[in-house]
Amino acid sequence: MGITERKEREKQQRREGIIQAAEKVFFSKGFDHSTMDDIADEAELSKGTLYLYFKSKDVLHMEVAKKAIILLNTCTSRAADKGTNALEKLRQMGRATIDFFRTYPDHMKAIIALTGIESGRLGLTTTDVQGILYDVSSVGMVLELVEQGVKDKLIRSDIPPVLIAHTLWMQLMSVIQFVSVEESLFDLLELSPDKVYESHFELVLNGIKS
Amino acid sequence: MGITERKEREKQQRREGIIQAAEKVFFSKGFDHSTMDDIADEAELSKGTLYLYFKSKDVLHMEVAKKAIILLNTCTSRAADKGTNALEKLRQMGRATIDFFRTYPDHMKAIIALTGIESGRLGLTTTDVQGILYDVSSVGMVLELVEQGVKDKLIRSDIPPVLIAHTLWMQLMSVIQFVSVEESLFDLLELSPDKVYESHFELVLNGIKS
DNA sequence: GTTAATAAATGACCATTAGTCATTAAATAT
DNA sequence: ATATTTAATGACTAATGGTCATTTATTAAC
């Protein structure tokens, strides 16, 4: 039946439209200050319809973050190709993440909110988050690269790759958080975000070298 | 006048009582699911009175976090004394923070919430946060130790101490976040929080060594 | 000791907003 | 043309952060 298929397609489109509206509203007003009515207006739908497609505001938040993670993932995988070995690929991925943050700061903040401590704040289980983190995020690729790096004797082998991978990921998130929280500190200390990132990569990659 | 002093003292006590009530409620139900009425009940006061002492729920949240930071700070400074040189003192401080997280997980989460990205979520300026971070938190002490370590040629001198200090602090926060979010992952990968912490210190301290 | 003035505490009330559901409208099948 | 199923609506509810006129307790003044 072609009708069923078309309907399914339309449903998907509506769903997508709602997510886009939510994204726009969340990013412009912040999650807490966005109301479901705002999103409904933006999506040109009634509030009731939103709840036909998404169980809660929190779920909508997660969907927005998921889309952001997928976008980040495409950026980082593309960047990884530019590196010549595992360590270089990792560095490129890191830089790409920084660039991503510069280009889409709101997207990045949504990702950090999802994967950080406040995932509990939302009505999500850690399993939900893990699904997203492993299926669509960069962590999976980082892990592969670390394993490759260990094999090539570029990365120390006395620590399980999965730990190194997570450490790299979390540390990158933390430096981005640092920059976005402490912005006003920079002038005072004659620092720049770039210097911070530079030092970060220096310190971190130095730490994992074999 | 003795009366003015007594009144001031009583005011302080009431204030403290409210913070304690808020702490109890926040930690048992989570910030978002705690209502001001809950806190008022716990404090045996009316809701109106809470607002006589604190401007908003967010401010109350910050006060709770501030108290937690002070507590953490006493733990870490005591631990630092056990180390024989700057690097060892830093390691001891790190361990003490982990212990703190084990003993007072809710306190630790409040700290991370305050210093992490969602400080913007609350109605606080980054200046508020910085005040807390530098006046009462461990970051100040970490900085001193890093400076000492650089002087003693234990820590690399090519990166500004303030950056190293912040990196250490943020990385520690991130590993704690990691453990608290990904708990369920551990069985699966035959990992334990201890191994994660161990690797963390290994990687991070290795990174800053001169 | 009584009254006036000041300070502290109260809780009914308001405004906002996440989420629901009976009703309506549209699309599809008969 | 009619019945049935599906999609969409928006008025409504419940919960809750925050306010403020009123009440209660404390201190000062006579």
Side-chain angles (χ1 to χ4, degrees):
Chain A
M1 248 333 191
I3 287 175
T4 331
E5 287 171 16
R6 195 209 65 216
K7 278 200 156 184
E8 186 54 38
R9 215 165 48 233
E10 280 172 355
K11 233 176 176 171
Q12 244 358 79
Q13 275 167 4
R14 187 122 292 181
R15 212 185 116 87
E16 188 53 34
I18 293 171
I19 295 177
Q20 260 166 37
E23 199 177 85
K24 197 165 171 183
V25 175
F26 286 160
F27 289 172
S28 80
K29 311 179 78 167
F31 179 74
D32 281 2
H33 297 108
S34 305
T35 72
M36 289 303 267
D37 280 312
D38 291 337
I39 299 170
D41 279 358
E42 180 66 41
E44 296 178 315
L45 290 168
S46 71
K47 185 161 64 159
T49 306
L50 302 192
Y51 285 93
L52 245 43
Y53 287 83
F54 300 95
K55 210 172 127 285
S56 70
K57 193 185 170 189
D58 283 339
V59 168
L60 213 34
H61 189 207
M62 193 185 68
E63 291 299 330
V64 168
K66 198 195 275 185
K67 255 191 71 180
I69 290 186
I70 291 169
L71 182 60
L72 169 62
N73 197 27
T74 63
C75 293
T76 54
S77 359
R78 201 166 301 150
D81 292 340
K82 287 191 283 184
T84 51
N85 62 41
L87 220 49
E88 274 312 305
K89 280 175 197 283
L90 285 170
R91 193 187 285 266
Q92 293 289 352
M93 281 183 77
R95 283 194 195 294
T97 306
I98 303 291
D99 284 344
F100 179 83
F101 171 52
R102 251 195 271 272
T103 319
Y104 312 103
D106 294 318
H107 288 72
M108 194 69 223
K109 282 176 191 170
I111 293 174
I112 291 177
L114 182 79
T115 58
I117 203 119
E118 64 252 78
S119 56
R121 244 179 41 77
L122 308 181
L124 327 159
T125 62
T126 49
T127 334
D128 289 331
V129 178
Q130 269 168 43
I132 296 167
L133 215 57
Y134 287 94
D135 293 347
V136 301
S137 99
S138 315
V139 178
M141 180 173 242
V142 172
L143 179 54
E144 282 172 38
L145 286 174
V146 171
E147 280 166 347
Q148 187 60 48
V150 171
K151 216 176 282 173
D152 298 347
K153 313 260 191 224
L154 292 167
I155 295 175
R156 53 196 291 176
S157 58
D158 58 335
I159 294 176
V162 65
L163 270 186
I164 297 184
H166 268 100
T167 303
L168 287 176
W169 170 262
M170 292 303 287
Q171 286 180 348
L172 190 56
M173 295 301 110
S174 80
V175 75
I176 289 171
Q177 270 193 61
F178 172 53
V179 169
S180 70
V181 172
E182 315 273 331
E183 236 164 333
S184 51
L185 197 74
F186 289 146
D187 295 338
L188 207 73
L189 299 173
E190 295 183 11
L191 283 174
S192 68
D194 280 328
K195 271 190 203 152
V196 177
Y197 298 135
E198 213 49 57
S199 308
H200 171 80
F201 288 124
E202 251 313 292
L203 287 172
V204 167
L205 295 179
N206 187 35
I208 68 168
K209 265 185 203 143
S210 62
Chain B
M1 246 334 186
I3 286 176
T4 333
E5 286 171 15
R6 195 208 66 213
K7 277 200 158 186
E8 187 54 39
R9 215 165 47 235
E10 280 173 355
K11 233 174 176 173
Q12 245 356 81
Q13 275 165 4
R14 188 123 291 182
R15 213 186 114 87
E16 188 54 35
I18 293 171
I19 295 177
Q20 258 165 37
E23 198 177 86
K24 196 164 171 184
V25 175
F26 286 159
F27 289 173
S28 80
K29 310 178 78 168
F31 179 74
D32 281 2
H33 298 109
S34 305
T35 72
M36 290 303 268
D37 280 312
D38 290 338
I39 298 170
D41 280 357
E42 180 66 40
E44 295 177 317
L45 290 168
S46 71
K47 186 162 60 159
T49 306
L50 300 192
Y51 285 92
L52 244 45
Y53 288 82
F54 300 95
K55 210 173 127 283
S56 68
K57 192 184 171 190
D58 283 340
V59 168
L60 213 33
H61 189 205
M62 194 184 68
E63 291 300 329
V64 168
K66 199 195 275 184
K67 256 191 70 181
I69 288 186
I70 291 169
L71 183 60
L72 169 62
N73 197 27
T74 64
C75 292
T76 53
S77 1
R78 201 166 301 152
D81 293 339
K82 287 191 284 185
T84 52
N85 62 41
L87 219 49
E88 274 312 304
K89 279 175 197 285
L90 284 171
R91 193 188 284 265
Q92 294 288 351
M93 282 183 77
R95 283 194 196 295
T97 308
I98 304 291
D99 283 344
F100 179 83
F101 171 51
R102 252 195 271 272
T103 319
Y104 312 104
D106 294 317
H107 288 71
M108 194 69 224
K109 282 175 192 170
I111 294 173
I112 292 177
L114 183 79
T115 57
I117 203 120
E118 65 252 76
S119 56
R121 243 180 42 77
L122 307 181
L124 328 159
T125 61
T126 50
T127 332
D128 290 330
V129 177
Q130 269 169 41
I132 295 168
L133 214 57
Y134 286 94
D135 292 346
V136 301
S137 98
S138 315
V139 178
M141 179 173 244
V142 173
L143 179 54
E144 282 172 37
L145 287 173
V146 171
E147 280 165 347
Q148 187 59 48
V150 171
K151 217 176 282 172
D152 299 346
K153 316 258 190 222
L154 293 167
I155 294 175
R156 52 194 294 177
S157 57
D158 58 336
I159 293 176
V162 64
L163 270 187
I164 295 185
H166 268 98
T167 304
L168 287 176
W169 169 263
M170 291 304 287
Q171 285 180 348
L172 190 54
M173 295 301 110
S174 80
V175 76
I176 289 171
Q177 271 192 62
F178 172 53
V179 169
S180 71
V181 172
E182 314 273 331
E183 235 163 333
S184 51
L185 196 76
F186 289 146
D187 297 337
L188 207 73
L189 299 173
E190 295 184 10
L191 282 174
S192 68
D194 280 329
K195 271 189 203 156
V196 177
Y197 299 135
E198 212 49 56
S199 307
H200 171 80
F201 288 124
E202 251 314 292
L203 287 173
V204 167
L205 295 179
N206 187 35
I208 68 168
K209 266 185 205 143
S210 63

